[in-house]
Amino acid sequence: MSTLSLAVRDSNTMLRRNLLHMRRYPSMTFLLIGIPIIILLLFVYVFGGTLGAGLGPSGDRSQYANYVTPGILLITVVSAAQGTAISVAMDMTEGIIARFRTMSIFRPSVLTGHVLGSLIQTMLSLAAVTGVALLVGFRPTANPVEWLAAVGVLAMITFALTWLSVALGLVSDSVETASNLPMPLILLPFLGSGFVPTDSMPTAVRLFADYQPFTPVMETLRGLLLGTGIGNNGAIAVVWCAVISVVCFLWAKSLYNRNRTA
Amino acid sequence: MTSSMNPAIVATDLRKSYGDKVVLDGVDLMITEGTIFALLGPNGAGKTTTVQILSTLIKADGGTARVFGHDLAREPDAVRALIGVTGQFSAVDNLLTARENLTLMADLCHLGRAAGRRRIADLLDQFDLTEAAGKPVSTYSGGMRRRLDLAMTLVGEPRVIFLDEPTTGLDPRSRRAMWHIIRALVAEGVTILLTTQYLEEADQLADRVAFLDHGRLIAEGTPRELKRLIPGGHVVLQFADQEGLDSAARTLQTATRDDAALTLQVPSDGGVGSLRSLLDQLDRASISVAGLSVHTPDLDDVFLTLTGQPDTRASRPDHERAPTR
């Protein structure tokens, strides 16, 4: 069997394993969907009136619901990534991982299984969160092609952050650490254009907000879903996602292959 | 048991340390195809490390090893295709059912759908897990979990199986069931490297036994050969008082006395004849004995004799070590 078909076949087997885990323990998935929904409701119904007024002369709560949704979608991705880090770290404490290491299989398939499983889980979470956003006043103007592109962008950033969280799960020596390490990620949509436009921020914060990876992703999503200008944000988002994916894949792979002394 | 002399595992001068701590200090192994080889030793002797190295889980710092001619360092995947490992900590997926666990293995071993299903049905049956096959493993007892663990190892029909303390923590009935399974495997020509802390287990199962202590093999041979390494059996006589002990010690010149315990250790083969003559001798001298126990040498004696006391081990000269074959 060629390396590629072995890789596909074993990754697929491991994906089925991870999907079974998710099906058997759905509480984790619900928890991960709950966080972005609570933040969405909080920002639309508590802060939405005031923050909406800041968007411009005609700004109000419903306009803010449109503005905040791309940021909430990234919160969803980050929340799911935290779940991935936890489940990878938990998996590494299981004896079955040692068994996989002594089998003649595509070695990274344990990791690709997690990544593919998380990708599916996150896309489902995103669909659920988008549904709630529509209920609270999110009114996208996207045509089918733009929707497809938006899904593609979300899949791209999810893929990148999932590899990051797999690496974070592997580098953690305990499940608690794995749960804490991805925490700062949840701040990034706030320290970007997710909740307020960056030109309202002081210079130092604005510079960080403009040049961190989440802002171009959110601006691209906003453009695709709501028809605002995208500019070069699309290209920057693709490059960021590609770089994060490749670096974190290599990092995760070397962490998985290292000699374990335990 | 096949009597072919094909070596299944050959390891030369395996070394491993973690920081300053030397875990394996030059271990040589030669395991013949179709036999059970038991690696015995206390906790921390290096048994698990040896299994981890030979099963490609970790790399040795030095030395070489081959499994059916495939070098561990250069062809790890060829080795992995031939081996199966059942570790000390259960290597099953607790969130899945037994059937799902076995299906996972069948898929990873690239058995076809039909062949996989047949193999799984056979293994569930053989390991008495058919009834529980649809329940999550987290609800299983220790013995069931261990059986599933071994069944998963067997899905790919490995030619060499590493069993790292396969019966630790099992109740006597489950332990015997596991022994039965292990014997059946060897009867089919599988080679087994077994580690255990239980000398009785090695005595029951193994064709050859090696003692590992502080990362070195201190003795190797068949159980019978090893038992011959130490002095034969003895009888322990218990006395009610110092007086009885004194007079018995005068009568039995070859005995070793323990004043604190009021016991006398008399060399004996433990046979009925020699016991009778010993008791006759005591009778004639009108010495009353409070208790008596017969001790035949077992692997425990071998092990304790070879390892000695911790404080004397460091100073024990090398020539006193039992030869490794």
Side-chain angles (χ1 to χ4, degrees), chain B residues 175-248:
Chain B
R175 172 169 302 163
R176 281 184 189 279
M178 191 58 87
W179 287 356
H180 185 73
I181 292 166
I182 293 171
R183 286 198 189 100
L185 284 171
V186 172
E188 288 168 22
V190 174
T191 309
I192 291 178
L193 171 59
L194 169 96
T195 77
T196 181
Q197 301 183 49
Y198 304 115
L199 299 124
E200 188 203 354
E201 185 159 291
D203 208 355
Q204 284 277 338
L205 292 174
D207 299 297
R208 292 190 75 80
V209 177
F211 287 107
L212 196 59
D213 188 43
H214 289 248
R216 306 190 69 154
L217 287 186
I218 52 172
E220 195 205 312
T222 64
R224 188 190 291 262
E225 282 168 358
L226 290 173
K227 285 181 205 164
R228 242 185 264 136
L229 282 177
I230 58 154
H234 55 260
V235 171
V236 176
L237 300 170
Q238 175 77 53
F239 296 94
D241 49 35
Q242 189 70 37
E243 204 182 321
L245 177 63
D246 285 341
S247 50

Side-chain angles (χ1 to χ4, degrees), chain A residues 6 9-10 13 16-17 20-21 24-25 94-96 98-105 107 260-261, chain B residues 18 55 57-59 77 80-81 85 90-91 93-96 100 104-105 107-108 110 149 152-153:
Chain A
L6 185 76
R9 191 169 176 171
D10 290 344
T13 304
R16 279 207 302 279
R17 168 172 181 258
L20 273 174
H21 284 182
R24 207 135 293 164
Y25 285 86
E94 296 282 334
I96 196 161
R99 180 189 290 284
F100 292 146
R101 285 170 195 271
T102 62
M103 292 178 75
S104 174
I105 60 175
R107 216 166 153 74
R260 296 214 143 211
T261 53
Chain B
Y18 291 117
S55 63
L57 206 49
I58 59 174
K59 288 194 176 73
D77 267 324
R80 287 177 189 137
V85 190
S90 83
D93 192 322
N94 288 308
L95 304 186
L96 305 183
E100 285 163 348
L104 178 66
M105 289 301 120
D107 289 344
L108 290 175
H110 308 122
D149 202 330
M152 286 168 72
T153 299

Side-chain angles (χ1 to χ4, degrees), chain B:
Chain B
M1 202 173 303
T2 58
S3 57
S4 68
M5 291 302 283
N6 258 345
I9 301 174
V10 182
T12 319
D13 199 26
L14 289 183
R15 291 173 184 281
K16 181 81 189 172
S17 355
Y18 291 117
D20 286 346
K21 188 171 164 28
V22 177
V23 182
L24 289 185
D25 190 10
V27 169
D28 297 324
L29 289 174
M30 221 287 284
I31 302 174
T32 306
E33 184 177 7
T35 64
I36 301 182
F37 188 98
L39 208 50
L40 265 165
N43 289 331
K47 303 187 300 287
T48 298
T49 306
T50 307
V51 168
Q52 285 178 331
I53 289 173
L54 292 176
S55 63
T56 76
L57 206 49
I58 59 174
K59 288 194 176 73
D61 296 339
T64 57
R66 288 167 174 276
V67 174
F68 283 112
H70 297 287
D71 188 271
L72 240 62
R74 268 175 294 158
E75 309 168 79
D77 267 324
V79 173
R80 287 177 189 137
L82 293 169
I83 64 169
V85 190
T86 291
Q88 196 170 347
F89 305 103
S90 83
V92 301
D93 192 322
N94 288 308
L95 304 186
L96 305 183
T97 67
R99 192 182 301 279
E100 285 163 348
N101 265 298
L102 290 167
T103 308
L104 178 66
M105 289 301 120
D107 289 344
L108 290 175
C109 293
H110 308 122
L111 301 186
R113 187 167 274 264
R117 211 171 291 161
R118 231 177 302 125
R119 183 95 184 109
I120 290 166
D122 286 350
L123 285 168
L124 285 173
D125 186 48
Q126 186 188 341
F127 286 81
D128 200 17
L129 290 166
T130 307
E131 217 170 292
K135 294 196 187 111
V137 175
S138 48
T139 65
Y140 283 20
S141 70
M144 286 163 79
R145 197 179 293 243
R146 212 63 73 93
R147 292 206 301 274
L148 172 62
D149 202 330
L150 187 51
M152 286 168 72
T153 299
L154 297 181
V155 170
E157 304 193 309
R159 289 174 66 195
V160 176
I161 298 177
F162 297 98
L163 298 173
D164 192 11
E165 305 202 7
T167 63
T168 299
L170 292 189
D171 61 59
R173 182 196 294 266
S174 302
R175 172 169 302 163
R176 281 184 189 279
M178 191 58 87
W179 287 356
H180 185 73
I181 292 166
I182 293 171
R183 286 198 189 100
L185 284 171
V186 172
E188 288 168 22
V190 174
T191 309
I192 291 178
L193 171 59
L194 169 96
T195 77
T196 181
Q197 301 183 49
Y198 304 115
L199 299 124
E200 188 203 354
E201 185 159 291
D203 208 355
Q204 284 277 338
L205 292 174
D207 299 297
R208 292 190 75 80
V209 177
F211 287 107
L212 196 59
D213 188 43
H214 289 248
R216 306 190 69 154
L217 287 186
I218 52 172
E220 195 205 312
T222 64
R224 188 190 291 262
E225 282 168 358
L226 290 173
K227 285 181 205 164
R228 242 185 264 136
L229 282 177
I230 58 154
H234 55 260
V235 171
V236 176
L237 300 170
Q238 175 77 53
F239 296 94
D241 49 35
Q242 189 70 37
E243 204 182 321
L245 177 63
D246 285 341
S247 50
R250 276 193 300 277
T251 312
L252 306 164
Q253 299 290 336
T254 53
T256 340
R257 59 189 287 173
D258 181 340
D259 283 282
L262 293 177
T263 58
L264 205 56
Q265 191 174 313
V266 190
S268 161
D269 62 6
V272 176
S274 60
L275 271 182
R276 184 174 290 136
S277 74
L278 173 66
L279 292 175
D280 284 348
Q281 214 176 336
L282 290 166
D283 250 5
R284 279 197 300 275
S286 310
I287 301 164
S288 72
V289 181
L292 171 152
S293 62
V294 179
H295 203 80
T296 49
D298 59 18
L299 287 175
D300 275 305
D301 297 311
V302 184
F303 189 69
L304 292 173
T305 308
L306 289 175
T307 54
Q309 297 300 314
D311 52 344
T312 60
R313 184 183 296 129
S315 57
R316 191 174 60 205
D318 262 344
H319 61 81
E320 271 187 39
R321 286 179 188 280
T324 57
R325 247 177 353 143

Side-chain angles (χ1 to χ4, degrees), chain A residues 111-112 133 141 208 229 252:
Chain A
L111 306 182
T112 49
T141 58
F208 176 80

